[in-house]
Amino acid sequence: MIGNKHKIPFLDLITPHTELEEELTAVFRQALTSGGFIGGPLVANFERDFADFSNSKYCIGVSSGTDALRFAVMAAGVQKGDIVITVPNTFIATTEAITQANALPDFVDIDERTYNMDPEKLQEYLETQCDMDKKTGRPVKRATGQPVTAVIPVHLYGQTADMDPILEMAERYGLMVIEDACQAHGAGYLSKRRGHWRTAGSMGHAAAFSFYPGKNLGACGEGGAVTTDDEKIAQKIRILRDHGQSSKYFHEVEGYNGRLDALQAGFLGIKLRYLARWNENRRQNADRYNRLLKNIDGLRTPFEPSWVKSVYHLYVIRVEKRDERQRFLADNHIATGLHYPLPIHLQKAYAYLGHRVGDYPISERVASEILSLPMYPGLTEDQQERVAECLRA
Ligand SMILES: *Cc1c(COP(=O)(O)O)cnc(C)c1O
């Protein structure tokens, strides 16, 4: 046993809530006494504040990050049978959103250092696997004849994908871009094209956020949001989340029960005031890990390019003998995670897509070596030193 026996949790969902107990219960009381449980000012206020935070014109609160992705894909105009491109190294919600919008997920591999979509692989896909349809000016996958209409870059672990080349290709090929920003609330991207920093969620045609409790901004339950600058997309999502209603009991389309609870919106509005500080704490903790874990044989700390400001939703290292090391940490009461142990294209759920081991070698290699260390704003120096000691041992 190294150090003391106190458990180091993977994340802490208790301290931030007990610290904010007064403010959070005031929201609950407001809802109880007003009866405003769905919609109303709590939702509208949070939507306005989160749009501001994400540098977007519109924010539409929905019931989860998965709904946010699905509604964004549908509102972006993806049609039945279209191909939507994403990466294999993500949470399954990204591809669920694609298939549930009746489209087909296809993949391009990730960058070995950032673990995010490799723009060169996207270019290669569009240039070598697709033909240009003369009528629509859009790419069509040669093997199946299906149109490729959208791309979902995932800002994994709190770090934005390299958006300049992705957006540039999307313009050239007429693709819609939906950011999966579910792990990247407040992350920054230095755009060379624009010459300034941009915020995750403000770069694509639309972006999806999750407020699952463990995310950088988490609800006290389920929640999500779409951000966009496109008024038409915003309006479509408002309709989709509410049974396709344009006004009460008049349904333009079949929609979903996908609204954000007023209570959750109220809680999120309170917590949003602390998010910038919490993200800064996560960055400081990442810096400290980087120093503590320097020069450990067979261990690589995360690569944060100069053009990214990560919000470290997760702090993910790469190590040899990953499983052994994870067990050793667990024996020393240190909780860790794997994000994600099996790439999407090899999941049983997607056996029907017919992918094989070796199709996306970088995602596959990375999946067997990554290890997510404890990361949350209140993580202490002592705790991080113990984690480092165990990794060094
Ligand atoms: C959490 C997450 C989602 C889904 O969000 P839910 O709110 O759990 O539905 C989608 N994509 C990524 C990358 C996520 O981390």
Side-chain angles (χ1 to χ4, degrees):
M1 184 75 60
I2 290 175
N4 60 45
K5 282 198 278 273
H6 287 297
K7 282 202 173 101
I8 302 180
F10 185 62
L11 78 177
D12 178 7
L13 290 180
I14 298 167
T15 311
H17 295 110
T18 47
E19 281 174 4
L20 298 177
E21 187 174 339
E22 282 304 313
E23 289 173 83
L24 296 173
T25 46
V27 168
F28 186 44
R29 267 183 243 116
Q30 184 187 336
L32 286 186
T33 51
S34 69
F37 298 115
I38 305 280
L42 286 172
V43 175
N45 291 342
F46 172 69
E47 287 178 337
R48 188 201 55 222
D49 293 347
F50 195 72
D52 284 349
F53 179 85
S54 304
N55 278 320
S56 300
K57 264 198 199 144
Y58 307 100
C59 166
I60 307 95
V62 297
S63 53
S64 69
T66 309
D67 269 357
L69 278 164
R70 176 160 43 121
F71 297 163
V73 170
M74 296 173 82
V78 169
Q79 303 288 315
K80 188 172 173 170
D82 287 1
I83 288 174
V84 178
I85 305 170
T86 189
V87 286
N89 180 33
T90 184
F91 181 56
I92 192 171
T94 317
T95 45
E96 284 174 331
I98 297 169
T99 53
Q100 290 167 8
N102 293 315
L104 197 77
D106 209 352
F107 304 101
V108 296
D109 213 345
I110 56 171
D111 178 281
E112 174 110 39
R113 296 207 293 170
T114 63
Y115 312 131
N116 277 326
M117 180 177 282
D118 183 344
E120 284 178 19
K121 300 273 169 51
L122 177 63
Q123 181 169 3
E124 193 181 294
Y125 178 100
L126 293 166
E127 283 177 0
T128 65
Q129 296 197 43
C130 299
D131 292 319
M132 292 306 280
D133 183 324
K134 296 247 160 42
K135 268 189 244 131
T136 62
R138 280 176 162 179
V140 169
K141 190 169 182 179
R142 196 174 305 124
T144 61
Q146 289 171 293
V148 179
T149 51
V151 55
I152 308 185
V154 182
H155 304 321
L156 207 65
Y157 309 151
Q159 182 156 303
T160 60
D162 189 3
M163 292 302 288
D164 275 349
I166 293 172
L167 291 168
E168 200 260 319
M169 260 178 280
E171 272 167 36
R172 186 145 33 97
Y173 286 91
L175 307 178
M176 298 300 284
V177 178
I178 296 137
E179 297 166 71
D180 183 340
C182 287
Q183 300 189 0
H185 319 66
Y189 174 73
L190 180 59
S191 168
K192 286 187 208 75
R193 287 170 96 199
R194 299 243 182 144
H196 61 78
W197 285 89
R198 306 185 75 184
T199 311
S202 70
M203 296 182 276
H205 297 94
F209 287 91
S210 165
F211 305 126
Y212 188 75
K215 302 292 162 96
N216 287 33
L217 178 62
C220 304
E222 304 272 3
V226 177
T227 53
T228 181
D229 283 349
D230 185 320
E231 154 94 73
K232 285 204 187 86
I233 289 179
Q235 191 49 28
K236 274 189 196 159
I237 290 168
R238 281 187 207 110
I239 286 175
L240 280 172
R241 74 171 170 184
D242 195 19
H243 298 291
Q245 294 187 120
S246 50
S247 59
K248 203 165 176 73
Y249 303 132
F250 288 88
H251 307 270
E252 308 248 323
V253 289
E254 256 187 75
Y256 298 84
N257 180 345
R259 296 165 301 238
L260 177 65
D261 267 17
L263 268 177
Q264 298 305 340
F267 298 147
L268 288 164
I270 300 290
K271 292 177 75 178
L272 181 58
R273 298 178 201 153
Y274 300 87
L275 181 56
R277 192 194 309 163
W278 288 335
N279 281 346
E280 200 42 53
N281 291 342
R282 284 173 184 270
R283 288 181 57 76
Q284 284 163 4
N285 295 344
D287 268 352
R288 203 185 286 147
Y289 266 140
N290 290 344
R291 267 182 275 122
L292 290 167
L293 300 175
K294 230 194 275 176
N295 307 324
I296 298 184
D297 257 3
L299 186 153
R300 253 179 290 179
T301 53
F303 171 65
E304 188 181 346
S306 57
W307 40 264
V308 167
K309 200 165 172 198
S310 174
V311 291
Y312 288 96
H313 171 58
L314 296 166
Y315 184 88
V316 179
I317 58 169
R318 251 175 105 177
V319 281
E320 290 162 10
K321 300 189 198 148
R322 192 265 317 275
D323 295 346
E324 251 172 76
R325 277 177 139 135
Q326 187 178 32
R327 257 193 311 272
F328 185 72
L329 289 165
D331 290 343
N332 284 281
H333 306 294
I334 296 168
T336 55
L338 302 181
H339 303 88
Y340 295 89
L342 185 66
I344 297 293
H345 67 287
L346 299 177
Q347 295 284 350
K348 191 172 164 204
Y350 292 113
Y352 70 91
L353 292 176
H355 291 294
R356 277 186 233 149
V357 173
D359 282 356
Y360 303 98
I362 297 170
S363 295
E364 291 167 25
R365 184 158 65 237
V366 161
S368 66
E369 296 176 0
I370 44 172
L371 183 63
S372 310
L373 301 183
M375 173 53 87
Y376 46 91
L379 191 67
T380 67
E381 191 164 352
D382 280 358
Q383 290 175 312
Q384 291 188 276
E385 278 168 6
R386 244 181 77 209
V387 174
E389 246 180 286
C390 282
L391 282 164
R392 209 175 277 281

